[in-house]
């Protein structure tokens, strides 16, 4: 078990980027991939892409982020990679449907963001879980799913 | 640039705070009984532990634990939510964060703080700003179909506990089916059966916490 207790910096910072680049050439950079929501955790037990068992335990004041460097040694580094959030884009039929849809999503405590007339729901689980809840809205036309190619 | 090695960091875990573990679930499912069952197990493991309880408008659960003889009373703090229980573990967990910080300041070094939610519904979840890991406790007498209802508490919890397993035959629940359906909706996240009155299954709960947040083994 590899204990990782501090965020040393971010892979995008020049002084880290140079060393990580060199280590990457030798396949010595290991990544911990996390969902966006899980970056709020201060403690987690997780394996790197190379299978190293890691015990991450950072201070409450720190926050994991995409590119967080948790280990940087001469022969090995461990970096956090955050999975990109997948959004389900919904187009309401009209103003009344928009109000209804906003209320509905809020009532389910879904994470949303607004882009013009489109309401986007962050998928924190399988897409089917969300579309099942929206079945009535989709069936009666109050909302439609806007696929990326339609946007 | 100073580069720290794993050796430099060995033992530095103490700089991090105690693990914070949430325990949620419906009213009467056995959340406080679970804590009462876990306390002797963690005491035997040498884990320094404190508890934050949440009740609507009383300190009932805190007082129950303080009277239990299982833990020093000063290691238990009660938070009166004064509103829907999930508001203080998810939407605005400030009261609980402050309670946990207080315990940590007063009782340092602590290994583990258990934060028990007030009894709530299946939509109850914890903010990860408050806890590192959370359990959701349901019980068989609430109905064998509860896992199929896919409440966020059941689907998203790090560990799902199905308590009062001994009551299954008395309330017409197929326990094996209930467990299987719970595992199906949780995409491989663990599900454990317990009987908090007898202690059955609690060793495995303690093992999960020891591995996943206390970083043992």
């Amino acid at each position: 078990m590899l204990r990782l207790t501090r965020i040393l910096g971010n892979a995008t910072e020049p002084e880290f980027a140079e060393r990580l680049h060199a280590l990457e050439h030798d396949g010595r950079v290991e990544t911990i991939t996390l969902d966006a929501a899980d970056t709020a955790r201060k403690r987690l037990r997780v394996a790197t892409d190379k299978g190293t068992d890691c015990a991450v335990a950072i201070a409450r004041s720190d926050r994991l982020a995409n590119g967080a460097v948790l280990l940087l040694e001469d022969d090995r580094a461990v970096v956090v990679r955050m999975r990109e959030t997948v959004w389900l884009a919904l187009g309401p039929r009209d103003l009344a449907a928009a109000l209804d849809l906003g209320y509905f999503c809020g009532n389910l405590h879904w994470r949303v963001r607004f882009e013009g007339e489109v309401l986007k729901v962050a998928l924190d689980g399988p897409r089917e879980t969300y579309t099942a809840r929206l079945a009535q809205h989709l069936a009666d036309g109050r909302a439609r799913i806007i696929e990326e190619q339609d946007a | 640039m100073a580069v720290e090695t794993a050796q430099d960091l060995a033992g530095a875990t103490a700089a991090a705070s105690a693990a914070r573990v949430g325990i949620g679930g419906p009213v009467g499912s056995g959340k406080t009984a679970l804590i009462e069952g876990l306390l002797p197990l963690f005491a035997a493991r040498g884990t320094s532990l404190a508890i934050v309880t949440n009740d609507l408008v009383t300190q009932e659960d805190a007082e129950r634990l303080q009277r239990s003889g299982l833990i020093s009373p000063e290691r238990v703090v009660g938070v009166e939510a004064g509103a829907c229980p999930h508001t203080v573990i998810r939407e605005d967990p400030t009261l609980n964060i402050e309670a946990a910080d207080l315990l940590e300041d007063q009782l340092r070094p602590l290994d583990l703080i258990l934060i028990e939610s007030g009894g709530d519904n299946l939509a109850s979840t914890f903010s990860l700003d408050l806890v590192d890991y959370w359990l959701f406790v349901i019980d068989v007498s609430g109905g064998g179909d509860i896992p199929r209802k896919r409440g966020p508490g059941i689907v998203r919890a790090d560990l799902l506990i199905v308590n009062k397993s001994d009551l299954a035959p008395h309330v017409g629940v197929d326990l094996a089916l209930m467990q299987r359906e719970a595992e199906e909706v949780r995409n491989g996240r663990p599900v454990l059966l317990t009987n908090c009155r007898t202690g059955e299954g609690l060793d495995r709960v303690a093992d999960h916490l020891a591995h996943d947040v206390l970083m043992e083994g």
Side-chain angles (χ1 to χ4, degrees):
Chain A
M1 177 177 61
L2 179 63
R3 291 185 183 274
L4 303 167
T5 59
R6 291 182 206 172
I7 298 172
L8 306 176
N10 194 283
T12 57
E13 296 168 28
E15 66 268 36
F16 286 96
E18 189 178 328
R19 291 207 51 193
L20 289 170
H21 184 68
L23 286 169
E24 267 174 353
H25 270 293
D26 299 328
R28 294 177 184 274
V29 176
E30 300 187 33
T31 58
I32 292 173
T33 303
L34 299 175
D35 289 335
D38 286 330
T39 58
R41 296 181 196 260
K42 308 306 178 194
R43 279 176 174 257
L44 66 163
R45 192 78 179 258
V46 64
T48 69
D49 60 333
K50 291 186 166 51
T52 303
D53 176 24
C54 295
V56 179
I58 60 173
R60 296 261 152 227
S61 53
D62 290 342
R63 186 170 181 114
L64 296 170
N66 193 41
V69 180
L70 302 181
L71 180 73
L72 186 56
E73 296 180 327
D74 291 340
D75 60 351
R76 178 162 68 161
V78 176
V79 178
V80 172
R81 176 175 297 155
M82 194 167 76
R83 285 191 193 92
E84 194 173 335
T85 299
V86 178
W87 298 88
L88 178 67
L90 300 169
R93 182 178 53 204
D94 50 28
L95 183 60
L99 287 168
D100 178 76
L101 185 63
Y103 173 83
F104 183 79
C105 294
N107 200 37
L108 289 170
H109 301 285
W110 288 349
R111 289 193 296 128
V112 301
R113 70 183 185 197
F114 302 94
E115 291 185 4
E117 296 181 352
V118 175
L119 183 149
K120 289 191 167 181
V121 178
L123 300 184
D124 292 324
R127 176 181 162 119
E128 297 73 32
T129 302
Y130 290 80
T131 55
R133 300 282 78 72
L134 289 161
Q136 195 61 47
H137 286 77
L138 298 172
D140 63 23
R142 275 176 289 167
R144 65 186 176 90
I145 294 174
I146 302 171
E147 302 294 355
E148 197 170 337
Q149 64 271 18
D150 301 329
Chain B
M1 177 189 62
V3 174
E4 295 176 87
T5 68
Q7 289 70 35
D8 293 333
L9 298 176
T13 311
S17 67
R20 296 183 181 183
V21 172
I23 300 177
V27 174
S29 59
K31 298 181 293 299
T32 310
L34 172 69
I35 292 173
E36 289 170 333
L38 289 174
L39 286 175
L41 301 181
F42 280 119
R45 293 167 185 235
T47 304
S48 178
L49 188 150
I51 302 166
V52 179
T53 66
N54 283 221
D55 271 312
L56 192 56
V57 289
T58 69
Q59 302 269 331
E60 188 74 22
D61 284 345
E63 290 166 2
R64 170 174 162 180
L65 289 165
Q66 286 166 335
R67 287 195 303 264
S68 69
L70 297 167
I71 188 169
S72 300
E74 71 272 15
R75 288 178 173 262
V76 183
V77 167
V79 167
E80 292 182 22
C84 296
H86 57 260
T87 58
V88 290
I89 62 167
R90 184 177 58 210
E91 281 81 9
D92 181 4
T94 308
L95 286 173
N96 278 304
I97 290 172
E98 287 177 349
D101 287 347
L102 177 71
L103 286 168
E104 192 142 16
D105 285 344
Q106 293 178 340
L107 302 170
R108 197 178 296 272
L110 268 179
D111 300 314
L112 176 62
I113 300 175
L114 300 177
I115 301 173
E116 181 192 356
S117 169
D120 209 329
N121 59 40
L122 302 182
S124 177
T125 59
F126 278 85
S127 164
L128 292 176
D129 290 321
L130 172 63
V131 299
D132 305 307
Y133 186 98
W134 57 284
L135 324 179
F136 198 75
V137 184
I138 59 175
D139 75 279
V140 299
S141 63
D145 57 347
I146 287 184
R148 283 203 304 274
K149 295 182 177 177
R150 298 171 187 263
I154 287 166
V155 174
R156 294 186 196 167
D158 295 299
L159 175 60
L160 178 68
I161 293 177
V162 181
N163 190 31
K164 306 182 188 178
S165 56
D166 57 314
L167 296 184
H170 305 293
V171 292
V173 167
D174 181 336
L175 188 60
L177 176 63
M178 188 176 181
Q179 181 178 18
R180 193 165 63 248
E181 290 181 339
E183 288 167 346
E184 284 171 4
V185 302
R186 285 173 51 74
N187 287 322
R189 286 181 169 174
V191 177
L192 295 179
L193 304 180
T194 62
N195 176 353
C196 291
R197 279 186 175 258
T198 63
E200 188 179 340
L202 295 185
D203 266 325
R204 294 182 64 202
V205 178
D207 286 344
H208 269 273
L209 297 184
H211 179 272
D212 291 349
V213 293
L214 299 176
M215 312 306 184
E216 297 172 5

